[in-house]
Amino acid sequence: MDSILQCMRCRKTYPIDQVIYACESCGGLLDVAHDLDALKRTVTRATFDSRLGTLDAPYNSGVWRYKELIAPYLRDDQIISRPEGNTNLYNVPKLAKWAGVERLYLKHEGENPTGSFKDRGMTGGVTQARLLGMTRVACASTGNTSASLAAYAAWSGMQGIVLMQNKQIAQGKLSQSIAYGATCIRVDGDFDKNLELVKELSATADIYMLNSINPFRLEGQKSIMFEAVQQLRWNAPDWIVVPGGNLGNSSSFGKALWEMRELGLIDRLPRLAIIQAEGANPLYRAYLTEFEDYQPVHAETIATAIKIGNPVNYPKAVRALEWTSGVVEQVTDQQTMEAKALIDAQGIGCEPASGCTLAGIKKLVEGGIIAPNETVVGLLTGHVLKDPDVTIAYHEDAIPDIHPVHPNRIFTADASIGSIVAILNGDANSVTHL
Ligand SMILES: *Cc1c(COP(=O)(O)O)cnc(C)c1O
Ligand SMILES: [Zn+2]
């Protein structure tokens, strides 16, 4: 059996080269399903270890190193790659102590070509677009998907089309979409509205939709788990902690972990913890009802990357939680920004949504869900330069309702050595170092 598209609800299958975004029978979300029995016989840990450090495309990519687990049907020359992935897994003992665990690793997906994990999905999505003969690709986005789509469209010679919200787009992300030459359309509506419009657009025009409802993007994002586990010498951690917005990432993590165990690449499943912002928490609310009751919410949070009220991948995220005995937690913007400031002050840095990860870990430890002796891998999803305005405003204490616990205020000196030395001899060290 080759790879196919399969409805996660009614199991109906479709050929891999059909342009389709949801099941024609029941409207369910589609998975790219691989022949795991065949893969079991052909791939081992050694397959992927042997490709580490290669200079040759496509295996120099941290996505395509795992090509057999993502798109085994592709020829190497069909792949559109920057290359992406190969992101660091930082051992962060000081942040571990702050959060209350002995071993914490942060995988920094902000180290991808356009500064977020979206590149890992976009390489899969744009590759599929070209395979299907498409020349135009589109998405609605809180910012990072647009930035990534714009870059990959340009790189592959396609037209990129991005629908953006009329407010609250982080400057870094907006500037990327413009710079990479995408057709940028500002729409008077929030993310959820824009997503509806892109769906309509792709149904009526010859435009390939690359939102995270697109299963080929999720296949690429699985590589975050493959790579993290390989970096841990194939030892599965106890916990994977990730911020949740549209829930594409968490969905792909569930599939990746489940497949890795099926293939014998890991011998036990880590537990998944999805962290939402309190103001954009439909998954968390549903979790409290054991997924009996799901209601979209009106989303409000400073972490714009996860400001999503009606996540399209909700059913897949629930499945991921079931597979991994996962949990959902929520954090306030205050907690998110404090955690971000601590990550930043380690010299690593991340965008606000990524702060949820560390804030969530601390909360789960305090709540007795994560045990102090468990090994935790947390995801940093985006680069510190994505949202410079928020970072500066935080340190200047200029964000309403958020109090900077770790401000690094800028001093002002006369243009004289004396004035500068006076500052350095004074209480210059305003940052709380851990
Ligand atoms: C897209 C994004 C998220 C949310 O990921 P989902 O897959 O939508 O849940 C979180 N952080 C950053 C930086 C993002 O770009
Ligand atoms: Zn179906």
Side-chain angles (χ1 to χ4, degrees):
M1 182 189 94
D2 291 326
S3 301
I4 47 165
L5 287 166
Q6 181 165 44
C7 173
M8 71 172 284
R9 199 192 289 160
C10 77
R11 320 304 296 167
K12 185 168 177 179
T13 63
Y14 303 88
I16 203 82
D17 57 358
Q18 184 168 339
V19 181
I20 181 173
Y21 306 103
C23 177
E24 283 170 354
S25 301
C26 79
L29 295 170
L30 300 175
D31 283 310
V32 179
H34 305 297
D35 184 347
L36 294 183
D37 288 329
L39 288 175
K40 221 176 272 178
R41 293 189 294 274
T42 50
V43 298
T44 63
R45 294 173 178 178
T47 314
F48 307 120
D49 284 343
S50 73
R51 294 171 184 164
L52 285 173
T54 182
L55 298 173
D56 297 327
Y59 301 116
N60 59 351
S61 158
V63 173
W64 299 104
R65 182 185 313 135
Y66 315 97
K67 182 185 156 194
E68 290 85 347
L69 309 184
I70 290 167
Y73 46 88
L74 290 176
R75 290 197 320 268
D76 288 356
D77 66 344
Q78 291 173 314
I79 292 171
I80 297 164
S81 171
R82 279 287 304 277
E84 44 294 308
N86 292 311
T87 58
N88 285 299
L89 183 71
Y90 294 101
N91 185 357
V92 284
K94 288 180 191 163
L95 296 176
K97 192 161 174 226
W98 179 81
V101 288
E102 283 162 27
R103 275 174 313 282
L104 172 62
Y105 300 90
L106 293 178
K107 183 145 182 71
H108 205 330
E109 289 300 302
E111 295 171 350
N112 272 291
T114 77
S116 82
F117 71 81
K118 299 299 195 301
D119 294 339
R120 293 201 189 239
M122 207 51 73
T123 181
V126 169
T127 295
Q128 180 67 14
R130 191 159 76 178
L131 202 70
L132 297 170
M134 296 286 182
T135 56
R136 295 194 288 175
V137 290
C139 72
S141 170
T142 61
N144 279 332
T145 300
S146 303
S148 185
L149 178 138
Y152 279 80
W155 187 236
S156 64
M158 286 188 236
Q159 182 190 4
I161 301 161
V162 305
L163 266 55
M164 314 190 277
Q165 303 163 75
N166 52 0
K167 52 181 178 184
Q168 252 201 323
I169 306 177
Q171 290 299 298
K173 307 176 188 182
L174 178 60
S175 62
Q176 283 179 293
S177 297
I178 296 169
Y180 298 138
T183 304
C184 303
I185 305 172
R186 228 191 270 264
V187 179
D188 186 17
D190 61 7
F191 170 82
D192 299 289
K193 178 67 194 166
N194 281 0
L195 184 59
E196 282 173 34
L197 290 168
V198 167
K199 278 187 189 167
E200 273 182 53
L201 191 65
S202 63
T204 53
D206 199 13
I207 293 174
Y208 192 57
M209 181 168 62
L210 280 177
N211 272 97
S212 62
I213 196 169
N214 185 307
F216 297 96
R217 276 188 53 199
L218 300 196
E219 285 306 292
Q221 286 169 211
K222 288 191 316 189
S223 64
I224 299 172
M225 288 297 98
F226 302 153
E227 196 171 271
V229 170
Q230 187 175 27
Q231 284 168 314
L232 293 171
R233 316 294 191 269
W234 302 103
N235 294 307
D238 296 297
W239 288 93
I240 304 284
V241 185
V242 61
N246 230 339
L247 303 175
N249 227 14
S250 19
S251 298
S252 76
F253 289 7
K255 188 167 186 282
L257 295 169
W258 184 77
E259 288 173 350
M260 264 196 282
R261 204 199 35 189
E262 286 295 297
L263 295 172
L265 295 170
I266 51 175
D267 38 32
R268 67 194 175 100
L269 283 175
R271 297 179 70 187
L272 189 63
I274 304 175
I275 316 298
Q276 294 210 294
E278 248 184 44
N281 62 354
L283 180 72
Y284 177 74
R285 285 166 187 251
Y287 172 72
L288 295 182
T289 71
E290 294 180 352
F291 305 114
E292 290 292 316
D293 185 28
Y294 168 76
Q295 300 291 339
V297 303
H298 172 76
E300 260 331 314
T301 167
I302 197 164
T304 51
I306 52 173
K307 195 179 145 214
I308 289 167
N310 190 14
V312 293
N313 283 301
Y314 172 79
K316 284 186 178 174
V318 173
R319 181 180 67 177
L321 291 165
E322 284 166 358
W323 274 339
T324 64
S325 310
V327 300
V328 187
E329 185 55 276
Q330 64 172 1
V331 292
T332 63
D333 282 359
Q334 171 71 38
Q335 291 165 332
T336 294
M337 289 305 291
E338 181 180 350
K340 169 183 150 51
L342 291 170
I343 295 163
D344 292 353
Q346 291 290 296
I348 297 176
C350 63
E351 70 165 278
S354 310
C356 291
T357 294
L358 183 62
I361 294 167
K362 184 177 171 68
K363 210 170 159 187
L364 289 168
V365 173
E366 285 166 0
I369 310 292
I370 295 180
N373 64 353
E374 291 184 303
T375 301
V376 180
V377 170
L379 266 293
L380 301 182
T381 44
H383 197 281
V384 67
L385 291 176
K386 287 285 191 174
D387 201 345
D389 296 352
V390 161
T391 302
I392 293 167
Y394 174 84
H395 289 285
E396 287 178 343
D397 198 0
I399 307 176
D401 303 326
I402 290 183
H403 169 67
V405 186
H406 309 283
N408 185 15
R409 298 216 175 82
I410 301 175
F411 293 92
T412 309
D414 304 333
S416 75
I417 286 297
S419 175
I420 292 167
V421 169
I423 289 168
L424 296 179
N425 287 341
D427 182 27
N429 209 348
S430 69
V431 189
T432 310
H433 285 288
L434 288 172

